[in-house]
Amino acid sequence: MRTFNFSAGPAVLPEPVLRRAADEMLDWHGSGMSVMEMSHRGKEFIGIASKAESDFRKLLAVPDNYRVLFLQGGAMAENALIPMNLLGEKTSADYVNTGEWSKKSIKEAGKYCKVNVAATAADRDFTYVPAQDTWQLDPNAAYVHICTNETIGGVEYNWVPDTHGVPLVADMSSHLLSRAVDVAKYGVIYGGAQKNIGPAGLTLVVVRDDLLGHALPITPSAFNWKEQADNDSMLNTPPTYSIYIAGLVFEWLLEQGGIEAIEKRNIAKAALLYDYLDQSRFYSNPVARGDRSRMNIPFRLADAALDDAFLKGAQQNNMVQLKGHRVVGGMRASIYNAMPVEGVQALVAYMKEFERTHG
Amino acid sequence: MRTFNFSAGPAVLPEPVLRRAADEMLDWHGSGMSVMEMSHRGKEFIGIASKAESDFRKLLAVPDNYRVLFLQGGAMAENALIPMNLLGEKTSADYVNTGEWSKKSIKEAGKYCKVNVAATAADRDFTYVPAQDTWQLDPNAAYVHICTNETIGGVEYNWVPDTHGVPLVADMSSHLLSRAVDVAKYGVIYGGAQKNIGPAGLTLVVVRDDLLGHALPITPSAFNWKEQADNDSMLNTPPTYSIYIAGLVFEWLLEQGGIEAIEKRNIAKAALLYDYLDQSRFYSNPVARGDRSRMNIPFRLADAALDDAFLKGAQQNNMVQLKGHRVVGGMRASIYNAMPVEGVQALVAYMKEFERTHG
């Protein structure tokens, strides 16, 4: 039996994708090879990678003047690679601090440039997105960096900042492909794959083509976006099997009706859980209502002494990975695209029952 | 039907490994999850990663004062990350140039330090390993870098250089786990996984613990060996599924009798092909006999006009990826651990027949 897996990432994948991967493991489409065994320069894999890219472009309606790169290293590597690739002659960058992932990005960027924290949500413990009119933007910044969905704090942007022509760079790791995005409003969109896209070890970078070619001389070639773009992400051997799985996820998303359909479903799933949290005195979520994440929903029990019993009971009811991140404690339900509504219903039902017996 | 896949990498994997991965795809050991879906912080995956590391250590008898890191980026990323992690206060490093991969390493290292080419095989078109007594080593170098198996040129070290106490750093990408290695003679051993280990997207770094802690301030945290060692390669999300597959490959190797048994088999497989090449006037291999790779065997037809016919016929006989790298032309048979002897026998039989009909 498949469990309901609320992990923040690596995370649940669509069952039809896993079934197909299993079926094709020894012999992909009569090639006599697993995708894992294919040369990245062979026609079979080039076809797989090219289809994955075009399906991704279709899903997000990526404009032609953006390049889609399939890289390695995860968002944490990009925290260094973003300044390395974008600074050029500039010496500073703006960052908005909305929580744990913003903090990591800010700390890492400081190795390469002056970091201006244009706005921070520290005053209310990172439970909201600071309004645009409070941002102190520097018109000479190389770029403005935001994290559009804080996986740990459960804070999500529902609007796109106006950066007055300075390129907007967004870490979308934990909500990319969960909702419509107007790509043209961003200079760079990036994310690790291990939430809504595929296996850990694959990193997507969507970059406007005029932003290529500004890398610092210390940028490793394997992570130089321009060099990778010029080589269709095959300057070095790409993470081929992860790209294949991501491609299957993209096909599955298109079969579901694309981003519009999945976004509707995500809104409904999140509402199920938030509506229940908001009427309860036993559970609570600290995030400002307009800034709540649809993907990662942290919540607390009124009595933290019950946390262990809650988790143990969840496990017995076939629900795993509900423990909150150690930084914030409590619980967290990550309900990515591939989490079926039945999983959220089961969670709410369990929470009700737990409240009834322990409240 | 499975083809005989002579790709230089990503490359053939053991069929039992692929069967097991397919069987466990939807539900690993009753967990109700694919390994791809598991949190890297969960007990299931921590067990998988820890077993993979201990089996790898067992296979190569890795001494206790070495750390085994599971990273991302491939050998090309390490070309930058090695000087970043090892230079410390030093300003130069020694490199030995035995072919295409050495050249890439040398070029990339030049971004971070003065590179002294201590020896080169350029005079004979990179068809041999320069003898130790010709090396011009610098006692103040941060390290000495060699590529112990040149995947493109088919040149392999059969001996370990003496670097007089300067740490020896070896790119073993294309023969790691194909033969016994005295790890204690090296400061760092590294390699991309996509030859003898597992899927592309996983990089192994084996580093002596006293070499940790010398990173340049510009080193990205995700690629800082010390930070990764302190966090058991989980400072950021590791390429979990690739680590799982590598672990299955390690188990398979142990079942085969370990490195000693697989090395014997590799010697016999390579001899089959080299013996045939050496008695033929139709085919030739340019590499000095003592320096020939057991893993990657480049060869030429006397008449290059027959190359296309040779490749087409091979394909019809269920043998793929025999075309040589574009830099050197001709043919190349990569015969990694997972290539069964039957594949090499089939190749030699086909070559004989092609020689008979076209010679």
Side-chain angles (χ1 to χ4, degrees), chain A residues 74-204:
Chain A
M76 194 180 288
E78 290 304 327
N79 283 341
L81 301 170
I82 282 161
M84 281 190 185
N85 274 284
L86 293 179
L87 280 170
E89 303 292 311
K90 303 262 189 177
T91 55
S92 77
D94 284 350
Y95 279 72
V96 175
N97 187 356
T98 48
E100 295 308 314
W101 288 101
S102 298
K103 289 180 208 170
K104 283 183 202 280
S105 298
I106 288 167
K107 190 175 170 206
E108 189 78 0
K111 293 180 181 174
Y112 309 98
C113 64
K114 187 177 160 297
V115 172
N116 169 43
V117 178
T120 174
D123 60 335
R124 282 192 271 140
D125 206 16
F126 301 102
T127 54
Y128 73 106
V129 178
Q132 168 100 51
D133 59 10
T134 67
W135 295 21
Q136 305 284 325
L137 293 173
D138 172 4
N140 291 314
Y143 57 88
V144 180
H145 181 281
I146 60 177
C147 175
T148 48
N149 188 69
E150 290 279 359
T151 323
I152 294 174
V155 172
E156 183 172 11
Y157 280 71
N158 280 299
W159 49 281
V160 185
D162 178 0
T163 52
H164 313 292
V166 175
L168 180 61
V169 176
D171 176 357
M172 294 196 181
S173 293
S174 49
H175 72 161
L176 190 57
L177 294 186
S178 74
R179 60 187 298 157
V181 174
D182 185 353
V183 175
K185 292 192 170 159
Y186 297 84
V188 178
I189 288 169
Y190 72 99
Q194 65 272 19
K195 320 289 185 178
N196 277 315
I197 293 175
L202 171 65
T203 314
L204 264 79

Side-chain angles (χ1 to χ4, degrees), chain A residues 1-3 5 7 9-15 18-19 21-22 25-27 31-34 36-44 72-74 76-77 80-81 84 108 111-112 194 198-203 217-223 227 235-242 245 315 320-321 326, chain B residues 1-3 5 7 9-15 18-19 21-22 25-27 31-34 36-44 72-74 76-77 80-81 84 108 111-112 194 198-203 217-223 227 235-242 245 315 320-321 326:
Chain A
M1 185 174 64
R2 300 259 301 158
T3 57
N5 173 11
S7 172
V12 58
L13 287 164
E15 194 172 319
L18 296 174
R19 288 198 187 282
M25 181 64 85
L26 274 95
D27 182 3
S31 66
M33 291 181 276
S34 174
M36 240 179 255
E37 303 176 297
M38 289 177 183
S39 169
H40 55 299
R41 311 268 181 215
K43 65 179 189 311
E44 295 90 350
Q72 299 180 52
M76 194 180 288
L81 301 170
M84 281 190 185
E108 189 78 0
K111 293 180 181 174
Y112 309 98
Q194 65 272 19
L202 171 65
T203 314
I218 55 165
T219 310
S221 299
F223 302 116
E227 290 186 52
L235 179 72
N236 59 339
T237 312
T240 51
Y241 195 74
S242 300
I245 297 289
Q315 176 106 37
V320 300
Q321 293 292 337
R326 62 188 183 282
Chain B
M1 186 174 64
R2 300 259 302 159
T3 57
N5 174 10
S7 171
V12 58
L13 287 166
E15 195 173 317
L18 296 173
R19 288 198 186 283
M25 181 64 84
L26 274 94
D27 182 4
S31 65
M33 292 181 275
S34 173
M36 242 180 253
E37 303 176 298
M38 289 176 184
S39 168
H40 55 300
R41 311 265 181 219
K43 64 181 190 308
E44 295 90 350
Q72 298 182 52
M76 194 179 288
L81 301 170
M84 281 189 186
E108 189 78 0
K111 292 180 181 173
Y112 309 97
Q194 65 272 17
L202 171 64
T203 314
I218 55 164
T219 309
S221 299
F223 302 118
E227 289 185 52
L235 180 73
N236 60 339
T237 313
T240 50
Y241 195 74
S242 300
I245 296 289
Q315 176 108 38
V320 300
Q321 294 292 338
R326 62 189 182 282

Side-chain angles (χ1 to χ4, degrees), chain B residues 291-311:
Chain B
D291 302 332
R292 283 169 162 180
S293 171
R294 295 172 187 161
M295 293 289 103
N296 310 99
I297 305 183
F299 60 91
R300 290 182 169 284
L301 280 61
D303 179 2
L306 291 171
D307 283 2
D308 284 348
F310 180 88
L311 288 168

Side-chain angles (χ1 to χ4, degrees), chain A residues 285-300:
Chain A
N285 167 285
V287 179
R289 289 204 181 198
D291 303 331
R292 283 170 163 181
S293 171
R294 294 172 188 161
M295 295 288 104
N296 310 100
I297 306 183
F299 60 91
R300 291 182 168 281

Side-chain angles (χ1 to χ4, degrees), chain B residues 151-216:
Chain B
T151 323
I152 293 174
V155 171
E156 183 171 9
Y157 281 72
N158 280 298
W159 49 281
V160 184
D162 178 0
T163 52
H164 312 293
V166 176
L168 180 62
V169 177
D171 176 358
M172 294 197 181
S173 293
S174 49
H175 72 163
L176 190 56
L177 295 186
S178 75
R179 60 187 299 156
V181 174
D182 185 353
V183 174
K185 291 192 170 159
Y186 298 84
V188 178
I189 289 169
Y190 72 100
Q194 65 272 17
K195 321 289 185 178
N196 277 316
I197 293 175
L202 171 64
T203 314
L204 264 79
V205 174
V206 182
V207 53
R208 210 174 61 212
D209 53 17
D210 65 289
L211 299 176
L212 297 170
H214 303 284
L216 301 180

